[in-house]
Amino acid sequence: MWNTFLNCFAFEPRRRRFLAITVVLALGVSATLMTLALQDTGRPPRVDLERQVSAYVADFSRNGPYRPPGAAERAGMSEGITRLLDGRTDAARGPLSRAGYRVRTVRLAGSGRWVAQVTEAGGRTARRHGWGEVYIDLSSRVRWSAQVPHPVSDQHTELMGAELFSRAPGGVLVLAGANRHVGRGNTADVAHREDSLFDAVCGALTARRIPGIQIHGFADDSSPGNDVVASPGPGRPGALVRLAARLLSAGGFEVCRAWRRDCGELEGTTNVQARRAAARGVPFLHIENSRSVRDSPRARSRVVGALVRVATRLGR
């Protein structure tokens, strides 16, 4: 058989040219098919964000990893996020890598919106620092942010943040990466620390005057009779907070308005992101949800529905 193959090349020049052209064409078709296959597998994956976030926080525990990031890491994250907000994805990779992060593009299941996911460079299988993740909508101009500083410890707030981001375009989802009780002291309580990547991201958003909706949870007996506590933190109650309270009340929730009466220790006045927003005059909603609300998928979705209406009106 081998000799027969070699004898093919012993034919006259015309036959050899025909064979050579046939081989070249066959190789070209193969290369084209390989290229198409690579292009197909290189498409951004579609993700169900609520499911993905659930998987991300599944191993958060009081014994999980956390260390406060250094100043250079916080600066790298802030610069990288700022460049992503400008639409400069390639330029963002360098600063993000200095913070130990990478950026990849995904598409949201359902809407098909393109989203930049900022995640630790080691991937989900590597030992995390506990610094969290960021999702930025690439389909439209960023106009608002959802901030989840206490995933798991404020149970299901991570799902509320993911649903809000998925349903309202033009947003950023900032998700803390550890249970607030890990680490020494309150080092992982990112709502009350300025030395976290969570705060670095929120600081970059505030510098761009992007309003924030920060989602928290409380035990039912911490504010008896209330489903939701709405507050601007230490700032004055602007249109964002008042609209949210009205929509939630209209949706059948008992809402404690912190600017009207005492809502207990749930008003976010010591929240560092709220304080920065108030100092710069950037709209900020600190929203606390009872355990009963958070334990009910239907109630959670109703709260999120009201927040979606708020988010879609921002930046118009």
Side-chain angles (χ1 to χ4, degrees), residues 101-219:
Y101 275 72
R102 64 186 176 93
V103 59
R104 70 168 188 154
T105 302
V106 299
R107 298 188 74 182
L108 295 183
S111 69
R113 298 203 323 264
W114 294 64
V115 170
Q117 179 189 8
V118 180
T119 185
E120 290 196 52
R124 294 283 172 85
T125 59
R127 180 176 174 83
R128 297 194 303 263
H129 292 110
W131 294 343
E133 293 193 336
V134 183
Y135 295 84
I136 300 176
D137 193 347
L138 300 177
S139 66
S140 61
R141 179 176 60 87
V142 169
R143 304 184 302 275
W144 64 276
S145 71
Q147 305 168 11
V148 184
H150 301 145
V152 176
S153 50
D154 284 1
Q155 194 170 19
H156 302 318
T157 55
E158 65 278 356
L159 298 180
M160 298 176 75
E163 183 181 353
L164 175 56
F165 178 83
S166 296
R167 291 174 60 180
V172 177
L173 173 61
V174 192
L175 180 66
N179 188 302
R180 69 185 295 183
H181 300 292
V182 305
R184 297 181 178 179
N186 72 333
T187 54
D189 183 359
V190 296
H192 298 96
R193 303 280 301 203
E194 295 182 342
D195 59 347
S196 69
L197 287 196
F198 181 93
D199 187 64
V201 174
C202 293
L205 297 173
T206 301
R208 288 299 182 90
R209 305 195 63 78
I210 296 172
I213 301 173
Q214 193 168 111
I215 305 171
H216 294 261
F218 66 92

Side-chain angles (χ1 to χ4, degrees), residues 3 23 67-68 87 92 99 132 196 215-216 222-223 231 255 276 289 303 311:
N3 288 335
V23 170
R67 74 165 176 83
S196 69
I215 305 171
H216 294 261
S222 296
S223 188
S231 171
V255 180
R276 182 186 296 111
N289 303 274
V303 170

